[in-house]
Amino acid sequence: MNTDENIQTQPETWQPKKKSPFKRLLILALLIAGVLGILYAYQLPPFSPNYIETNNAYVRGKPVVVSPKVAGYVQKIMVQDYEWVEMGQPLVQIETDQYEMKVSQAKAGVLAQETSLQKIKQAQTSAVANVAVMDANIASARASLDNARVAYARMAELIKIDAVSRQAYDDASTNVKKAESALAQALAQKKNAEQEIGNVVVNEKSNLVAIDNAKAGLALAELELSYTTIKAPVSGRLGEITAKEGQLVAVGTNLMSVVPPEHWLIANVKETQIGQIAIGQPAQITVDALGGKQVLTGKVVQIAPATGSEFSANKTDPSTGNFIKVAQRVPVKIAFDDNQPNVKEISMGMSAVVKIEKIAK
């Protein structure tokens, strides 16, 4: 058979083989699945979760610094690192010698002032008695003056009839003047005695103030002596003890810290998400230290009034020209729900992952 005959046997028109509708649907399904996978991976609608998640969260607490209120040498440390202590439990003992001497000195000062008060009271009694004596002297002087005046009046009548001598008359006149002078002297002495009573009263008041001052000094000395035994301000677990026996410590020296068992969580949420959070919203907490398997629950109790950078010591200044926009974080305080035994196992500073339920729209 020749070539021309082969050509004549082929069809006059050629068309490509049609694709199967099943394959088209398969390709379309794969494309849709890929888009949905991308949306799901980036948590975009319609796969946006109903919660806000952040791993920028840390356990916080309120450690209490233990510091001495008086200076001195550390005599004894009565606890160990990380030990549980109760409120009021002795922790550190500072040497008491100088403070015991201050107490003794203050007691002696109180005793001295009280002794002075007794002397003043005796002086007051004596002054009152002296006034009574002056009253008696005044009464005697008045009687003497009255007698002298009667005698002078009688002499004045007798001298008129030359019944007495001139000398007797002059003596009677002199006796009146002496009696008047004695009365004036007695009155002046009584006034001085009364003034002495006033002085004694003033001295008594001054001494009472001195006694109160001495007693206050004694109370202060006893208070400082009590401060030599440093006690736990709250119940909790100790941190690392930085004090050493024999160390000279000043007032306010950080000896150790007590961490109470109360904990909460600070979750730093992006500023773009903070509008979806409100106080009272429930939260799920996964603490890294617990293996990430035990989920704790809590509630939002507070939202910071500013971003975390505003509370930083080194704030960024966008006005310098070197500006890179970064989503800021707003601290959100989350309180753990009650009756969760696992909360006792966590410590301050631990990391966590938090899921906060969004506000219902």
Short mmCIF file of all heavy atoms in Angstrom, two decimals, residues 285-340:
data_model
loop_
_atom_site.label_atom_id
_atom_site.label_comp_id
_atom_site.label_asym_id
_atom_site.label_seq_id
_atom_site.Cartn_x
_atom_site.Cartn_y
_atom_site.Cartn_z
N ILE A 285 -5.54 28.67 81.09
CA ILE A 285 -4.12 28.93 81.33
C ILE A 285 -3.37 27.61 81.30
O ILE A 285 -3.74 26.66 82.00
CB ILE A 285 -3.91 29.62 82.68
CG1 ILE A 285 -4.76 30.90 82.76
CG2 ILE A 285 -2.44 29.94 82.91
CD1 ILE A 285 -4.98 31.40 84.16
N THR A 286 -2.32 27.58 80.50
CA THR A 286 -1.45 26.41 80.44
C THR A 286 -0.06 26.86 80.86
O THR A 286 0.59 27.63 80.16
CB THR A 286 -1.41 25.83 79.03
OG1 THR A 286 -2.74 25.51 78.61
CG2 THR A 286 -0.58 24.55 79.01
N VAL A 287 0.39 26.39 82.01
CA VAL A 287 1.69 26.79 82.56
C VAL A 287 2.76 25.83 82.02
O VAL A 287 2.60 24.61 82.10
CB VAL A 287 1.67 26.78 84.10
CG1 VAL A 287 3.02 27.22 84.66
CG2 VAL A 287 0.57 27.72 84.62
N ASP A 288 3.82 26.40 81.49
CA ASP A 288 4.88 25.57 80.90
C ASP A 288 5.47 24.60 81.92
O ASP A 288 5.81 23.47 81.59
CB ASP A 288 5.99 26.48 80.34
CG ASP A 288 5.49 27.34 79.19
OD1 ASP A 288 4.32 27.17 78.80
OD2 ASP A 288 6.26 28.19 78.71
N ALA A 289 5.61 25.06 83.18
CA ALA A 289 6.24 24.21 84.19
C ALA A 289 5.42 22.98 84.53
O ALA A 289 5.96 22.00 85.06
CB ALA A 289 6.49 25.02 85.47
N LEU A 290 4.13 23.00 84.23
CA LEU A 290 3.27 21.85 84.50
C LEU A 290 3.20 20.90 83.31
O LEU A 290 2.35 20.01 83.27
CB LEU A 290 1.86 22.34 84.88
CG LEU A 290 1.78 23.22 86.12
CD1 LEU A 290 0.34 23.61 86.39
CD2 LEU A 290 2.39 22.53 87.33
N GLY A 291 4.07 21.10 82.35
CA GLY A 291 4.13 20.21 81.20
C GLY A 291 3.20 20.57 80.08
O GLY A 291 3.14 19.87 79.06
N GLY A 292 2.44 21.64 80.24
CA GLY A 292 1.53 22.07 79.19
C GLY A 292 0.31 21.20 79.03
O GLY A 292 -0.47 21.39 78.10
N LYS A 293 0.10 20.26 79.93
CA LYS A 293 -1.04 19.34 79.81
C LYS A 293 -2.17 19.72 80.77
O LYS A 293 -3.32 19.44 80.49
CB LYS A 293 -0.57 17.91 80.09
CG LYS A 293 0.46 17.40 79.10
CD LYS A 293 0.89 15.98 79.44
CE LYS A 293 1.92 15.47 78.44
NZ LYS A 293 2.37 14.09 78.76
N GLN A 294 -1.83 20.30 81.88
CA GLN A 294 -2.85 20.66 82.85
C GLN A 294 -3.34 22.08 82.59
O GLN A 294 -2.56 23.03 82.62
CB GLN A 294 -2.27 20.55 84.27
CG GLN A 294 -1.78 19.15 84.61
CD GLN A 294 -1.19 19.08 85.99
OE1 GLN A 294 -1.30 20.02 86.76
NE2 GLN A 294 -0.57 17.95 86.32
N VAL A 295 -4.60 22.23 82.31
CA VAL A 295 -5.19 23.52 81.98
C VAL A 295 -5.85 24.09 83.22
O VAL A 295 -6.72 23.46 83.83
CB VAL A 295 -6.22 23.38 80.84
CG1 VAL A 295 -6.84 24.75 80.54
CG2 VAL A 295 -5.55 22.82 79.59
N LEU A 296 -5.40 25.28 83.61
CA LEU A 296 -6.01 25.99 84.72
C LEU A 296 -7.00 27.02 84.19
O LEU A 296 -6.92 27.43 83.03
CB LEU A 296 -4.93 26.69 85.55
CG LEU A 296 -3.82 25.80 86.11
CD1 LEU A 296 -2.76 26.64 86.79
CD2 LEU A 296 -4.38 24.77 87.08
N THR A 297 -7.91 27.43 85.03
CA THR A 297 -8.92 28.41 84.63
C THR A 297 -8.79 29.66 85.47
O THR A 297 -8.29 29.64 86.60
CB THR A 297 -10.33 27.84 84.76
OG1 THR A 297 -10.55 27.46 86.13
CG2 THR A 297 -10.51 26.62 83.87
N GLY A 298 -9.26 30.75 84.90
CA GLY A 298 -9.21 32.02 85.61
C GLY A 298 -10.13 33.03 84.97
O GLY A 298 -10.87 32.71 84.03
N LYS A 299 -10.09 34.25 85.47
CA LYS A 299 -10.92 35.33 84.94
C LYS A 299 -10.11 36.61 84.87
O LYS A 299 -9.21 36.85 85.69
CB LYS A 299 -12.16 35.55 85.82
CG LYS A 299 -13.21 34.46 85.73
CD LYS A 299 -14.42 34.79 86.58
CE LYS A 299 -15.51 33.74 86.40
NZ LYS A 299 -15.07 32.40 86.80
N VAL A 300 -10.44 37.43 83.91
CA VAL A 300 -9.81 38.74 83.77
C VAL A 300 -10.34 39.63 84.89
O VAL A 300 -11.55 39.81 85.04
CB VAL A 300 -10.11 39.36 82.40
CG1 VAL A 300 -9.54 40.79 82.32
CG2 VAL A 300 -9.54 38.51 81.28
N VAL A 301 -9.44 40.19 85.68
CA VAL A 301 -9.85 41.04 86.80
C VAL A 301 -9.45 42.50 86.60
O VAL A 301 -10.09 43.40 87.14
CB VAL A 301 -9.28 40.51 88.13
CG1 VAL A 301 -9.91 39.18 88.49
CG2 VAL A 301 -7.76 40.38 88.08
N GLN A 302 -8.40 42.73 85.83
CA GLN A 302 -7.97 44.11 85.59
C GLN A 302 -7.30 44.22 84.24
O GLN A 302 -6.67 43.25 83.76
CB GLN A 302 -7.00 44.60 86.68
CG GLN A 302 -7.66 44.87 88.03
CD GLN A 302 -6.67 45.33 89.07
OE1 GLN A 302 -5.49 45.02 88.99
NE2 GLN A 302 -7.13 46.09 90.06
N ILE A 303 -7.42 45.39 83.65
CA ILE A 303 -6.73 45.69 82.40
C ILE A 303 -5.91 46.96 82.63
O ILE A 303 -6.42 47.95 83.15
CB ILE A 303 -7.73 45.90 81.24
CG1 ILE A 303 -8.55 44.63 81.02
CG2 ILE A 303 -7.00 46.29 79.95
CD1 ILE A 303 -9.64 44.77 79.98
N ALA A 304 -4.64 46.92 82.27
CA ALA A 304 -3.75 48.04 82.54
C ALA A 304 -4.23 49.30 81.82
O ALA A 304 -4.78 49.23 80.71
CB ALA A 304 -2.33 47.70 82.09
N PRO A 305 -4.04 50.47 82.44
CA PRO A 305 -4.46 51.72 81.80
C PRO A 305 -3.52 52.20 80.71
O PRO A 305 -3.79 53.22 80.07
CB PRO A 305 -4.48 52.70 82.98
CG PRO A 305 -3.42 52.19 83.91
CD PRO A 305 -3.48 50.70 83.79
N ALA A 306 -2.41 51.51 80.50
CA ALA A 306 -1.45 51.91 79.48
C ALA A 306 -0.69 50.67 79.02
O ALA A 306 -0.76 49.60 79.63
CB ALA A 306 -0.48 52.97 80.01
N THR A 307 0.02 50.80 77.92
CA THR A 307 0.81 49.68 77.42
C THR A 307 2.02 49.46 78.31
O THR A 307 2.41 50.32 79.10
CB THR A 307 1.28 49.96 75.98
OG1 THR A 307 2.13 51.12 75.99
CG2 THR A 307 0.10 50.21 75.06
N GLY A 308 2.61 48.28 78.19
CA GLY A 308 3.76 47.95 79.02
C GLY A 308 4.94 48.87 78.79
O GLY A 308 5.71 49.15 79.71
N SER A 309 5.09 49.39 77.58
CA SER A 309 6.23 50.27 77.29
C SER A 309 6.14 51.58 78.05
O SER A 309 7.15 52.21 78.34
CB SER A 309 6.30 50.55 75.79
OG SER A 309 5.12 51.22 75.34
N GLU A 310 4.92 52.00 78.41
CA GLU A 310 4.75 53.25 79.15
C GLU A 310 5.27 53.14 80.57
O GLU A 310 5.61 54.12 81.20
CB GLU A 310 3.28 53.66 79.15
CG GLU A 310 2.77 54.17 77.81
CD GLU A 310 3.52 55.40 77.35
OE1 GLU A 310 3.63 56.35 78.13
OE2 GLU A 310 4.01 55.39 76.21
N PHE A 311 5.30 51.92 81.11
CA PHE A 311 5.80 51.71 82.45
C PHE A 311 7.28 51.36 82.45
O PHE A 311 7.87 51.12 83.50
CB PHE A 311 5.01 50.60 83.15
CG PHE A 311 3.55 50.91 83.29
CD1 PHE A 311 2.60 50.26 82.54
CD2 PHE A 311 3.13 51.89 84.18
CE1 PHE A 311 1.26 50.54 82.68
CE2 PHE A 311 1.79 52.19 84.32
CZ PHE A 311 0.84 51.51 83.56
N SER A 312 7.88 51.28 81.28
CA SER A 312 9.28 50.93 81.18
C SER A 312 10.16 52.12 81.55
O SER A 312 9.80 53.28 81.33
CB SER A 312 9.61 50.45 79.76
OG SER A 312 10.99 50.24 79.61
N ALA A 313 11.33 51.81 82.11
CA ALA A 313 12.26 52.89 82.47
C ALA A 313 12.84 53.55 81.22
O ALA A 313 13.12 54.74 81.22
CB ALA A 313 13.38 52.33 83.34
N ASN A 314 13.00 52.78 80.15
CA ASN A 314 13.55 53.30 78.89
C ASN A 314 12.44 53.32 77.85
O ASN A 314 12.22 52.34 77.13
CB ASN A 314 14.73 52.46 78.42
CG ASN A 314 15.87 52.45 79.42
OD1 ASN A 314 16.18 53.47 80.01
ND2 ASN A 314 16.49 51.29 79.61
N LYS A 315 11.72 54.41 77.77
CA LYS A 315 10.62 54.52 76.83
C LYS A 315 11.14 54.83 75.44
O LYS A 315 12.13 55.55 75.27
CB LYS A 315 9.64 55.61 77.27
CG LYS A 315 8.97 55.34 78.60
CD LYS A 315 8.00 56.45 78.94
CE LYS A 315 7.34 56.20 80.29
NZ LYS A 315 6.41 57.30 80.65
N THR A 316 10.46 54.30 74.44
CA THR A 316 10.81 54.62 73.05
C THR A 316 10.26 55.99 72.71
O THR A 316 9.17 56.38 73.14
CB THR A 316 10.23 53.57 72.10
OG1 THR A 316 8.80 53.51 72.30
CG2 THR A 316 10.83 52.20 72.38
N ASP A 317 11.04 56.73 71.91
CA ASP A 317 10.63 58.07 71.50
C ASP A 317 10.49 58.09 69.98
O ASP A 317 11.48 58.21 69.25
CB ASP A 317 11.67 59.09 71.97
CG ASP A 317 11.21 60.52 71.70
OD1 ASP A 317 10.08 60.69 71.23
OD2 ASP A 317 11.99 61.45 71.97
N PRO A 318 9.25 57.98 69.46
CA PRO A 318 9.07 57.95 68.00
C PRO A 318 9.39 59.27 67.33
O PRO A 318 9.50 59.34 66.11
CB PRO A 318 7.58 57.60 67.84
CG PRO A 318 6.95 58.04 69.12
CD PRO A 318 7.99 57.84 70.18
N SER A 319 9.56 60.34 68.12
CA SER A 319 9.83 61.64 67.51
C SER A 319 11.29 61.79 67.08
O SER A 319 11.65 62.80 66.48
CB SER A 319 9.46 62.76 68.49
OG SER A 319 10.28 62.69 69.64
N THR A 320 12.13 60.81 67.37
CA THR A 320 13.54 60.91 67.01
C THR A 320 13.78 60.66 65.53
O THR A 320 14.85 60.93 65.03
CB THR A 320 14.36 59.90 67.82
OG1 THR A 320 13.86 58.58 67.58
CG2 THR A 320 14.26 60.20 69.31
N GLY A 321 12.78 60.11 64.84
CA GLY A 321 12.93 59.85 63.41
C GLY A 321 13.19 58.39 63.09
O GLY A 321 12.87 57.93 62.00
N ASN A 322 13.79 57.65 64.00
CA ASN A 322 14.03 56.22 63.80
C ASN A 322 12.81 55.44 64.25
O ASN A 322 12.78 54.85 65.32
CB ASN A 322 15.26 55.77 64.57
CG ASN A 322 16.51 56.52 64.13
OD1 ASN A 322 16.67 56.82 62.96
ND2 ASN A 322 17.38 56.82 65.08
N PHE A 323 11.75 55.48 63.44
CA PHE A 323 10.47 54.92 63.85
C PHE A 323 10.18 53.64 63.11
O PHE A 323 10.23 53.58 61.89
CB PHE A 323 9.36 55.94 63.59
CG PHE A 323 7.98 55.40 63.82
CD1 PHE A 323 7.57 55.07 65.09
CD2 PHE A 323 7.12 55.19 62.76
CE1 PHE A 323 6.32 54.55 65.31
CE2 PHE A 323 5.86 54.67 62.97
CZ PHE A 323 5.45 54.36 64.25
N ILE A 324 9.90 52.60 63.89
CA ILE A 324 9.42 51.33 63.34
C ILE A 324 8.18 50.97 64.13
O ILE A 324 8.24 50.81 65.36
CB ILE A 324 10.47 50.22 63.46
CG1 ILE A 324 11.73 50.60 62.68
CG2 ILE A 324 9.91 48.90 62.96
CD1 ILE A 324 12.85 49.60 62.82
N LYS A 325 7.07 50.86 63.45
CA LYS A 325 5.82 50.58 64.14
C LYS A 325 5.79 49.13 64.60
O LYS A 325 5.95 48.21 63.80
CB LYS A 325 4.62 50.87 63.24
CG LYS A 325 3.30 50.72 63.97
CD LYS A 325 2.14 51.18 63.12
CE LYS A 325 0.83 51.10 63.91
NZ LYS A 325 -0.31 51.57 63.10
N VAL A 326 5.60 48.96 65.91
CA VAL A 326 5.51 47.63 66.51
C VAL A 326 4.23 47.58 67.32
O VAL A 326 3.91 48.53 68.05
CB VAL A 326 6.73 47.35 67.42
CG1 VAL A 326 6.59 45.98 68.08
CG2 VAL A 326 8.02 47.43 66.62
N ALA A 327 3.49 46.51 67.18
CA ALA A 327 2.26 46.36 67.95
C ALA A 327 2.59 46.32 69.44
O ALA A 327 3.36 45.48 69.89
CB ALA A 327 1.53 45.09 67.53
N GLN A 328 2.02 47.24 70.18
CA GLN A 328 2.29 47.32 71.61
C GLN A 328 1.47 46.27 72.37
O GLN A 328 0.48 45.74 71.87
CB GLN A 328 1.96 48.72 72.13
CG GLN A 328 2.79 49.82 71.49
CD GLN A 328 4.27 49.66 71.78
OE1 GLN A 328 4.68 49.52 72.93
NE2 GLN A 328 5.08 49.69 70.74
N ARG A 329 1.92 46.01 73.57
CA ARG A 329 1.25 45.02 74.41
C ARG A 329 0.63 45.71 75.63
O ARG A 329 1.24 46.59 76.24
CB ARG A 329 2.24 43.96 74.89
CG ARG A 329 2.92 43.20 73.76
CD ARG A 329 2.10 42.02 73.34
NE ARG A 329 2.72 41.27 72.23
CZ ARG A 329 2.37 40.06 71.86
NH1 ARG A 329 1.39 39.44 72.51
NH2 ARG A 329 2.95 39.46 70.85
N VAL A 330 -0.58 45.29 75.95
CA VAL A 330 -1.30 45.83 77.11
C VAL A 330 -1.39 44.73 78.16
O VAL A 330 -1.94 43.66 77.90
CB VAL A 330 -2.70 46.32 76.72
CG1 VAL A 330 -3.43 46.85 77.96
CG2 VAL A 330 -2.61 47.39 75.65
N PRO A 331 -0.84 44.94 79.36
CA PRO A 331 -0.92 43.91 80.41
C PRO A 331 -2.36 43.69 80.88
O PRO A 331 -3.10 44.65 81.14
CB PRO A 331 -0.07 44.48 81.54
CG PRO A 331 0.83 45.49 80.88
CD PRO A 331 0.01 46.08 79.77
N VAL A 332 -2.73 42.43 80.99
CA VAL A 332 -4.06 42.04 81.47
C VAL A 332 -3.86 41.11 82.66
O VAL A 332 -3.16 40.10 82.56
CB VAL A 332 -4.88 41.33 80.37
CG1 VAL A 332 -6.21 40.84 80.93
CG2 VAL A 332 -5.10 42.27 79.19
N LYS A 333 -4.47 41.47 83.79
CA LYS A 333 -4.33 40.66 85.01
C LYS A 333 -5.43 39.62 85.05
O LYS A 333 -6.61 39.93 84.93
CB LYS A 333 -4.39 41.55 86.25
CG LYS A 333 -4.16 40.79 87.55
CD LYS A 333 -4.17 41.73 88.75
CE LYS A 333 -3.94 40.99 90.06
NZ LYS A 333 -3.93 41.91 91.22
N ILE A 334 -5.01 38.36 85.27
CA ILE A 334 -5.94 37.24 85.33
C ILE A 334 -5.78 36.55 86.68
O ILE A 334 -4.67 36.19 87.07
CB ILE A 334 -5.68 36.24 84.19
CG1 ILE A 334 -5.84 36.94 82.84
CG2 ILE A 334 -6.60 35.03 84.28
CD1 ILE A 334 -5.43 36.10 81.66
N ALA A 335 -6.89 36.42 87.40
CA ALA A 335 -6.88 35.73 88.69
C ALA A 335 -7.26 34.28 88.49
O ALA A 335 -8.19 33.95 87.73
CB ALA A 335 -7.85 36.41 89.66
N PHE A 336 -6.54 33.38 89.17
CA PHE A 336 -6.86 31.96 89.08
C PHE A 336 -8.16 31.68 89.83
O PHE A 336 -8.43 32.25 90.89
CB PHE A 336 -5.73 31.12 89.69
CG PHE A 336 -4.46 31.16 88.89
CD1 PHE A 336 -3.42 32.01 89.25
CD2 PHE A 336 -4.29 30.35 87.78
CE1 PHE A 336 -2.25 32.05 88.52
CE2 PHE A 336 -3.12 30.38 87.05
CZ PHE A 336 -2.10 31.23 87.41
N ASP A 337 -8.97 30.79 89.28
CA ASP A 337 -10.18 30.37 89.97
C ASP A 337 -9.82 29.57 91.23
O ASP A 337 -8.74 28.97 91.32
CB ASP A 337 -11.05 29.52 89.05
CG ASP A 337 -11.65 30.35 87.92
OD1 ASP A 337 -11.77 31.57 88.09
OD2 ASP A 337 -11.99 29.76 86.87
N ASP A 338 -10.73 29.57 92.18
CA ASP A 338 -10.50 28.88 93.44
C ASP A 338 -10.56 27.37 93.26
O ASP A 338 -11.06 26.85 92.25
CB ASP A 338 -11.54 29.32 94.48
CG ASP A 338 -11.43 30.81 94.81
OD1 ASP A 338 -10.31 31.35 94.70
OD2 ASP A 338 -12.45 31.41 95.16
N ASN A 339 -10.05 26.69 94.29
CA ASN A 339 -10.12 25.21 94.38
C ASN A 339 -9.42 24.53 93.21
O ASN A 339 -9.93 23.56 92.62
CB ASN A 339 -11.58 24.75 94.48
CG ASN A 339 -12.29 25.35 95.69
OD1 ASN A 339 -11.69 25.48 96.76
ND2 ASN A 339 -13.54 25.72 95.51
N GLN A 340 -8.24 25.04 92.86
CA GLN A 340 -7.41 24.40 91.84
C GLN A 340 -6.09 24.02 92.50
O GLN A 340 -5.22 24.87 92.70
CB GLN A 340 -7.16 25.32 90.65
CG GLN A 340 -8.42 25.70 89.88
CD GLN A 340 -8.11 26.50 88.65
OE1 GLN A 340 -7.95 25.95 87.55
NE2 GLN A 340 -8.04 27.81 88.81
#
